[in-house]
Amino acid sequence: MNKKLAAALSGGAVLVMALTGCSSGGGTKDNKELDAWAKKVCDAVPAQDAKIKAANASIAEVASNTSNPPATIQKTDSQAFQDMSDGYKTLATAISGAGAPPGVDGGSARQKDAVKNLNDLSGAYADLKKKVDALDTKNQAKFATGLHDIATQMTALEAQNKSGTAALKNLEQGDVKDAIAKQPSCQKVAASASATQG
């Protein structure tokens, strides 16, 4: 059962990759304002990307060990959901604080959409944390049922993750994509992602 939860969770880390999995299209256009904007956004990415990936890994790890007692599973999952909620919230705050990408058509609407999606994801993971904290660890059957419900919710969150990814990809079109690709902090995350995928 816990394996289902782990499988459902693996989509979480994909979202941050939307912001970093871009390579520069050789854009040599110099736009200092846009570069400064991209730096604000990218500087928040590595720490949150690491936090979200570590949370995913800890859930997968605790799920793969069938001998873990319910209290261990609850504690690990609770912390992981908290970390994911915090990670998405921090990214939303970074993008919100950076403002609309300067000189980009529709940049303000795209920025607001990305912030809303990240905040929604943060809220969804905070809700899952509350649910896992409320599980009865003394009653194995009730705990398993509760965990099953949480796994079902995680599966439903996949659609929200996809919509968040789409909003981030939409934000990083054209010149924005080039500006993000130039940032060392986003390059670092993209490099670590391609290393783990290869």
Side-chain angles (χ1 to χ4, degrees):
M1 155 68 305
N2 213 9
K3 283 194 173 56
K4 183 179 173 188
L5 183 61
L9 272 170
S10 58
V14 176
L15 181 62
V16 179
M17 286 319 309
L19 198 58
T20 57
C22 50
S23 55
S24 175
T28 50
K29 199 167 149 191
D30 234 9
N31 183 335
K32 301 232 180 312
E33 283 179 6
L34 190 57
D35 288 347
W37 178 89
K39 181 173 173 24
K40 277 188 204 166
V41 172
C42 281
D43 283 355
V45 171
Q48 303 321 311
D49 178 61
K51 184 185 270 192
I52 291 165
K53 281 184 181 151
N56 272 309
S58 68
I59 288 174
E61 195 178 313
V62 79
S64 65
N65 184 347
T66 49
S67 64
N68 273 326
T72 301
I73 295 167
Q74 182 185 48
K75 186 175 178 222
T76 304
D77 288 358
S78 174
Q79 185 59 56
F81 289 143
Q82 182 64 61
D83 287 349
M84 290 166 119
S85 176
D86 292 348
Y88 288 124
K89 182 68 149 177
T90 303
L91 288 169
T93 303
I95 293 172
S96 176
V104 175
D105 289 341
S108 179
R110 295 194 308 210
Q111 176 234 8
K112 285 187 174 88
D113 189 37
V115 169
K116 182 191 178 308
N117 274 281
L118 290 167
N119 277 325
D120 288 351
L121 276 167
S122 174
Y125 283 110
D127 187 46
L128 286 173
K129 177 188 164 26
K130 279 188 204 134
K131 290 199 164 121
V132 90
D133 286 347
L135 293 179
D136 182 355
T137 56
K138 305 275 188 282
N139 182 325
Q140 190 90 32
K142 269 190 186 168
F143 183 78
T145 303
L147 211 54
H148 184 284
D149 292 344
I150 287 169
T152 303
Q153 265 188 283
M154 284 299 309
T155 307
L157 254 182
E158 276 181 46
Q160 209 170 334
N161 256 320
K162 283 193 176 103
S163 138
T165 302
L168 285 173
K169 283 196 182 302
N170 191 28
L171 176 64
E172 64 156 48
Q173 299 291 320
D175 290 348
V176 175
K177 185 171 186 165
D178 289 338
I180 284 175
K182 278 194 246 174
Q183 300 306 312
S185 43
C186 273
Q187 287 170 356
K188 191 169 112 188
V189 175
S192 79
S194 56
T196 53
Q197 283 165 3

